[in-house]
Each structure stands twice: as C-alpha cells, then as structure tokens.
Amino acid sequence: RVLFRSVKTATLTAAIGLIAGCAFCADLNPRDLVSQSITNYDKDWQAALDFTCMEREVTKDSSGHPKTVELSQVNVFKGTPYSRLIARDGRPLNAEETSKEEEKYRKMLDVREKENPEQRARRIRRYQQERQFLHEIPDAFDMKLLGHETLAGRPNYVIALSPKEGYVPRSKNARMFSSIEGTLWIDSEDVRWTQAEANVIENISIGWVLARIAPGAHITMKQVKVDGGHWMPKEIDVNGNARILLVKNRTLDETVSYENYKRVRPAPGTAAAQNR
C-alpha cells in the first residue's frame, strides 16, 4: 500500500506538472523551439572537438544482462575523434589485444599525418555533416507541445513528434523519419536536448540489404551539461530487433555511455585560446 501510494503520488505530481506547464508555454511554437535546439546541437557537436571523454559500450544478452563491456578513450586527432579501446569486461587489455589496438592507432595516425589539406578538409567536413539530417526534423514531423517536466533538477519542455504525412526527405538519413515517433525533452533555459526518445513504428532499412530494424525498437538518448555550458551525450540506449543481411535475426540491446568529459583545447574567445 505504501508503494502504491508513492507511485500514485508521483503520477499525479507529474500530471499536474504537465498541465501547469501548458499554461506557461501555450504561446510557444514547438517547431521554432525544436529548430533552435537543433542549431544549438550543431554548436555543441562542433565544441565536442575541444573535449576528451571515456566511452563505455555495454552489449546485453537475451536476458538483459551485460554480455560484453568495452571501455574506450575518445580523443581528437587532426580534427576528428578517435575511440581507442583500453579495457574489456572490467579488466585491462591483455598483451595481444593491446598490440592490436596499438596497431590500429598507429595506422590511424599514419593516415592522418599523410593527408593533404584537401583530404583532411574532406574528412573533417564529413564529420561535421554527420548530423545535418537532423535539420529536417522540423519539416518531417508534426509536433505537439505537451507541457513541462523536470529532469535532473532542470525544467524542460516536452514535445511529441509524429511523422508528417507526405514529407519527402532531402537526405538519405532522413528517410527513417517516416518510420519513427518521438519525444523530445528540451531544457527550457539552454534550449538543448536533455533527452530524446524514438519508437520505431515501421521497418527501417539500413543500406540496401545490410539490416532492417523492426517495429517496436526503442532508442533513448540523454545529454549532460559540461564545461563551458555545452551539452554532450551522456547515454544512448538501443533496444529492439533487427534482421541482418535480411537473413539473421538479432536482438539489439546495447547501451553506450560517456563520462569524464575534459576540455583539452581552450574555449574560443578566451585569453588562453588567443595566446595559443
């Protein structure tokens, strides 16, 4: 009974918060709010090149228990990030594994050192454009402002997204938008994504015959505020079913988390940056 009462109280509190939130945000245009959040996402995506962090990838078995846990150090080399595996399943790499990772690391450095200016600019441009398809979200979805909700002690706008009938995607990656429904939690002060959730409602094809993600798959992305007011990925969770090469069925149950963000380059406009 105590547990039931606690759950009931929490549910009522959340509902009241959403209703009250609508009174404060009735005049806001959700499309404009989402557009601004994507512009800010671009800024943080670029600012990520000034940081290093730790990346933890957890693959789970059919029971939802961790099967493999890989820890990597993410650093930026010659303009784009590189993830270097340093531990697996809670232990440092053995001699053979370390040798393989060292070889991959040396090859990466060698390739980037030998690039001419045009090749380097092309690589950096590809990295910067990887998220450009997100700019199609305001046109690809119908949006409804649900109200306010507090996450991690900060107020957020809550926006529901559903595919807009008849939308023609402008880029390859945006084709998936017709197959998903989503919810965005946007920090009301910084206008950044605190959390984003996507539910697959129709098959999503990746490549020609590479893979197909089945309806029912669920993706959650959470972000955290770091040094300089930037927002960086905190956790990405994928859960669902896929058909690899349209032959082999595979359960997708993986979580990638990021922590220990550290600035390695001075923020633009600071005295430290100007004195470099």
Side-chain angles (χ1 to χ4, degrees), residues 19-273:
I19 295 171
C22 289
F24 290 102
C25 58
D27 294 334
L28 287 173
N29 185 324
R31 187 179 187 278
D32 292 342
L33 190 62
V34 171
S35 295
Q36 183 59 52
S37 72
I38 295 171
T39 297
N40 291 337
Y41 189 96
D42 279 346
K43 296 176 183 177
D44 294 333
W45 180 248
Q46 180 63 36
L49 297 176
D50 297 336
F51 290 83
T52 182
C53 69
M54 301 300 296
E55 176 187 77
R56 185 183 306 273
E57 183 173 354
V58 180
T59 304
K60 303 170 188 175
D61 60 23
S62 58
S63 301
H65 299 110
K67 183 171 63 175
T68 59
V69 180
E70 295 187 338
L71 183 65
S72 301
Q73 175 75 51
V74 181
N75 288 300
V76 175
F77 295 97
K78 305 295 182 181
T80 54
Y82 178 79
S83 182
R84 185 177 185 179
L85 182 65
I86 60 175
R88 180 179 283 117
D89 298 332
R91 60 167 178 78
L93 300 182
N94 60 36
E96 182 180 356
E97 293 169 329
T98 300
S99 178
K100 289 181 179 179
E101 290 301 315
E102 183 65 25
E103 179 63 20
K104 288 193 292 185
Y105 174 71
R106 286 198 300 265
K107 286 182 178 180
M108 178 276 298
L109 287 181
D110 185 57
V111 169
R112 295 189 184 185
E113 287 287 353
K114 292 179 178 178
E115 288 175 328
N116 60 42
E118 182 179 347
Q119 291 171 327
R120 179 165 300 169
R122 189 184 306 121
R123 171 171 54 81
I124 294 173
R125 186 165 58 250
R126 281 199 302 267
Y127 169 81
Q128 293 173 337
Q129 292 176 346
E130 283 179 3
R131 299 298 187 269
Q132 285 301 304
F133 74 99
L134 295 177
H135 286 272
E136 296 191 45
I137 288 177
D139 296 324
F141 290 93
D142 291 318
M143 303 180 187
K144 182 179 181 181
L145 189 57
L146 300 179
H148 277 114
E149 188 172 327
T150 300
L151 293 181
R154 296 177 64 92
N156 283 256
Y157 300 111
V158 185
I159 299 176
L161 291 79
S162 57
K164 183 177 293 184
E165 186 175 354
Y167 178 72
V168 179
R170 300 188 297 273
S171 62
K172 181 175 65 175
N173 287 339
R175 295 173 188 169
M176 73 175 75
F177 289 155
S178 63
S179 302
I180 61 176
E181 293 177 336
T183 306
L184 289 177
W185 285 260
I186 300 178
D187 186 270
S188 58
E189 180 181 348
D190 290 358
V191 195
R192 257 68 169 191
W193 295 2
T194 302
Q195 184 168 309
E197 293 187 358
N199 295 302
V200 177
I201 57 176
E202 295 181 1
N203 283 320
I204 295 178
S205 296
I206 301 174
W208 183 38
V209 292
L210 181 61
R212 180 173 292 164
I213 301 176
H218 184 78
I219 303 168
T220 301
M221 187 270 286
K222 299 178 181 179
Q223 296 206 123
V224 63
K225 191 173 184 177
V226 301
D227 176 48
H230 296 291
W231 288 69
M232 301 292 173
K234 177 183 179 182
E235 182 178 286
I236 301 171
D237 185 81
V238 180
N239 186 282
N241 293 296
R243 199 173 183 190
I244 310 301
L245 296 176
L246 304 185
V247 176
K248 181 179 180 181
N249 290 321
R250 177 186 173 187
T251 299
L252 302 175
D253 197 352
E254 299 181 4
T255 300
V256 182
S257 58
Y258 301 87
E259 57 187 15
N260 295 335
Y261 280 98
K262 296 180 181 179
R263 181 179 289 279
V264 292
R265 294 200 306 181
T270 63

Side-chain angles (χ1 to χ4, degrees), residues 8-24 146-148:
K8 184 177 180 181
T9 300
T11 302
L12 287 173
T13 301
I16 292 171
L18 285 173
I19 295 171
C22 289
F24 290 102
L146 300 179
H148 277 114

